[in-house]
Amino acid sequence: MPKTKYSIYVIELSKRVFTEDRRFREANPQFNGVLQCLYVGMTSKTPKERFAQHKNGYVNKKGHGLAAKIVQKYGMYLRSSLYQHISSIDSRAEALKMEATLALELRRKGYAVWYN
């Protein structure tokens, strides 16, 4: 069985998320409205497949919703220029760490960012 590889991806969110979602706003007190609002995630699928799952409200065979509500409501498109420099990752733990690292790096640059 082939080893699972993980990818990091970034989705641009509508700026409405900042005014309409209190938790998003509280997570990004540094945001000044100049740059975009983003969602950073990691997946064992392709970023394109995972974005489609978010937008379609994907539910797995066990009945668990795997779509982030924030992306389902506000997600606009993938921002590949913000993640294409990151190679695929061999372990889930490393992918989660890279997801957080990228999210915080983007936040430091002035983006408003949501990640899990």
Side-chain angles (χ1 to χ4, degrees), residues 10-76:
V10 179
I11 295 170
E12 184 166 329
L13 305 173
S14 165
K15 283 194 177 179
R16 286 188 353 228
V17 69
F18 194 78
T19 54
E20 296 176 6
D21 190 295
R22 177 187 54 79
R23 290 174 58 218
F24 186 88
R25 203 169 38 254
E26 288 172 356
N28 292 283
Q30 86 298 343
F31 186 60
N32 64 11
V34 174
L35 294 176
Q36 293 79 28
C37 297
L38 305 171
Y39 175 89
V40 177
M42 68 95 188
T43 184
S44 60
K45 312 249 183 270
T46 68
K48 192 174 182 178
E49 288 173 308
R50 187 65 182 113
F51 178 62
Q53 286 181 332
H54 282 302
K55 292 304 287 179
N56 297 324
Y58 181 74
V59 176
N60 70 10
K61 291 176 185 161
K62 294 181 180 178
H64 299 286
L66 299 182
K69 300 284 186 229
I70 206 160
V71 176
Q72 192 174 9
K73 186 172 182 179
Y74 300 105
M76 298 191 317

Side-chain angles (χ1 to χ4, degrees), residues 27-32 34-36 38 40 82 85 97-115:
N28 292 283
Q30 86 298 343
F31 186 60
N32 64 11
V34 174
L35 294 176
Q36 293 79 28
L38 305 171
V40 177
L82 297 175
H85 64 283
K97 193 167 18 173
M98 179 53 75
E99 174 187 322
T101 299
L102 179 60
L104 295 174
E105 181 183 308
L106 291 169
R107 205 175 264 168
R108 273 193 302 276
K109 290 181 178 179
Y111 292 97
V113 182
W114 189 263
Y115 69 103

